[in-house]
Amino acid sequence: MPKNILNRAHKNILNRAHSLALTKQHKIGIAGVACLGTAAIALSAVPGNADTVTTGAPAAAAQVAAGTTLKNVKGTVTDQLAPETVKLDTFAAQKKAADEAAAAKQRAEAAKKAAADADAKKAAQDRAAKETASRSAQRIDMQPVAAKTYANNLDGWIRQSLDILRAKGIPGSYNGIYRNIMRESSGNPSAINNWDINAQNGIPSKGLLQVIDPTFRTYHVSGTSWNIYDPVANITAACNYAAHRYGSMDNVNSAY
């Protein structure tokens, strides 16, 4: 192997070893250089008219300056945020007021609706009560009235005729009717007179109060039978005739 090649190889080996050996020293050197640089910067920051330089003073001054700067920055940020805080507080107050107003409105609407529902319920109850009362009244009105019954004899005939006479406003009394019936027919509803002048004229007297056909037809009272021999119809028509001619059957004491 040529000599120059060996020399170069040996030199490279030495260089690598030297590089490896200087690694720690290089690190120490870098640290030293950094410290020297810091000291140089500190010295350059001291005013030119300063008589004495105290070791460590520049660092303290730098710390004070940094603290002041941070304090000023913090104050500036606080000052900038203050209006935003006020705005947020104002917004919160406005939102709270709006929520309270909305809640009050909802309560008022709920109270109004409750009052309207109560009024509607009361009105419905009143209508139901009126309808119930009306139905009750209708049922009472529609209840059939028991028909009054009369005995099928002279007493019953006179009493039934008296009720009809009172309803029509025709005067007469039980005693007046009974007295004239007993004189005229003795209480026989089928009695007929075939011998007096009326019979001779073809219109004999008939029934309890001996009424002729023309008189019966003229003074017939509505609601009674058209049969002249019907006891009630005969009594009622005779009393109506007597009321027109004599004022009442009570005033008749003989043939009439």
Side-chain angles (χ1 to χ4, degrees):
M1 183 179 293
K3 186 178 180 179
N4 57 348
I5 295 173
L6 292 174
N7 289 334
R8 284 197 298 270
H10 180 71
K11 187 176 180 178
N12 291 335
I13 293 170
L14 290 176
N15 287 335
R16 285 194 297 271
H18 180 69
S19 299
L20 293 173
L22 291 177
T23 301
K24 292 183 178 180
Q25 296 179 358
H26 182 260
K27 293 180 180 180
I28 294 171
I30 291 172
V33 171
C35 291
L36 291 175
T38 302
I41 292 172
L43 290 174
S44 63
V46 176
N49 56 357
D51 295 332
T52 305
V53 177
T54 302
T55 304
Q63 290 176 357
V64 171
T68 301
T69 301
L70 289 175
K71 182 177 181 181
N72 291 337
V73 171
K74 181 178 180 182
T76 302
V77 171
T78 302
D79 293 340
Q80 291 177 353
L81 292 177
E84 298 299 328
T85 303
V86 172
K87 290 180 181 179
L88 291 175
D89 292 341
T90 302
F91 175 76
Q94 292 175 346
K95 185 176 184 302
K96 182 179 179 181
D99 292 341
E100 291 177 351
K105 183 177 180 181
Q106 289 179 351
R107 288 194 297 271
E109 291 177 351
K112 184 177 180 181
K113 184 177 184 299
D117 292 343
D119 291 341
K121 183 177 180 180
K122 186 177 183 302
Q125 290 175 345
D126 291 342
R127 287 196 299 272
K130 289 180 180 178
E131 290 174 357
T132 301
S134 177
R135 286 194 295 269
S136 298
Q138 290 176 357
R139 284 195 295 270
I140 292 173
D141 292 340
M142 294 174 63
Q143 288 179 352
V145 178
K148 188 175 181 179
T149 58
Y150 305 92
N152 188 24
N153 54 32
L154 181 58
D155 178 73
W157 301 331
I158 294 173
R159 293 184 185 281
Q160 186 175 357
S161 179
L162 281 171
D163 286 341
I164 296 172
L165 292 172
R166 293 189 189 101
K168 301 296 183 179
I170 303 171
S173 69
Y174 185 96
N175 289 332
I177 295 172
Y178 179 82
R179 185 182 71 248
N180 282 284
I181 288 175
M182 295 309 292
R183 187 188 68 250
E184 294 292 332
S185 65
S186 300
N188 179 10
S190 301
I192 183 170
N193 187 332
N194 291 318
W195 57 86
D196 63 5
I197 188 63
N198 291 324
Q200 294 174 10
N201 292 329
I203 48 172
S205 300
K206 302 174 182 178
L208 289 173
L209 283 170
Q210 293 295 285
V211 182
I212 61 176
D213 287 331
T215 301
F216 178 81
R217 288 192 296 266
T218 301
Y219 293 97
H220 174 266
V221 177
S222 61
T224 63
S225 172
W226 281 94
N227 181 4
I228 195 171
Y229 288 106
D230 180 86
V232 175
N234 188 281
I235 294 171
T236 307
C239 288
N240 191 25
Y241 164 73
H244 281 82
R245 184 167 182 180
Y246 304 104
S248 171
M249 182 61 75
D250 294 345
N251 298 327
V252 177
N253 294 304
S254 62
Y256 59 105

